[in-house]
Amino acid sequence: ACRTVIMTVVGTIAVGQIAWACSISASPLPGWKNCTATVILKISKPIQSGYVSVYFNYPDDGGFFHGELAVNAGGVTQTVTVNLVSEYVSHCLTSYATTVDVYDGRQNAVLPPLLVSTPVTLTATCT
């Protein structure tokens, strides 16, 4: 038997690349590290709120990286870069496992929908 079938492709969000680095800082305490990070997202899915928020944890210090970016992803594949907020940590790990969580919404939104949660292992040179 044959019949018409309608399929809707909902699209995806993928973590394409993450870069991060730490350098010695005098604040909040001498010898602490000021760490910055960049996450590149590959989006082929409508973003309902017009914003994506990204978070990932830094182990041992209880700190986390976080950032948001306005996007216009009406189903057209695009790559966006979210520059994450610098965090101060007491030391720099050359390699560690974490999870990158991407939300459809701004950082201050109440429970924005989780779009993707991607486990990654980050590596960096500590200076």
Side-chain angles (χ1 to χ4, degrees), residues 13-94:
I13 292 186
V15 176
Q17 181 179 347
I18 303 175
W20 72 281
C22 295
S23 58
I24 296 174
S25 174
S27 176
L29 295 171
W32 276 48
K33 304 288 184 174
N34 179 26
C35 299
T36 58
T38 300
V39 175
I40 297 176
L41 305 174
K42 296 179 180 178
I43 298 176
S44 61
K45 173 177 184 153
I47 304 300
Q48 300 301 318
S49 69
Y51 288 85
V52 289
S53 295
V54 180
Y55 292 83
F56 66 83
N57 292 324
Y58 191 90
D60 301 332
D61 289 80
F64 60 91
F65 294 85
H66 54 98
E68 72 175 35
L69 184 70
V71 295
N72 180 9
V76 177
T77 299
Q78 63 174 334
T79 300
V80 298
T81 301
V82 180
N83 293 311
L84 303 185
V85 174
S86 299
E87 295 289 340
Y88 290 105
V89 297
S90 62
H91 59 286
C92 177
L93 299 175
T94 57

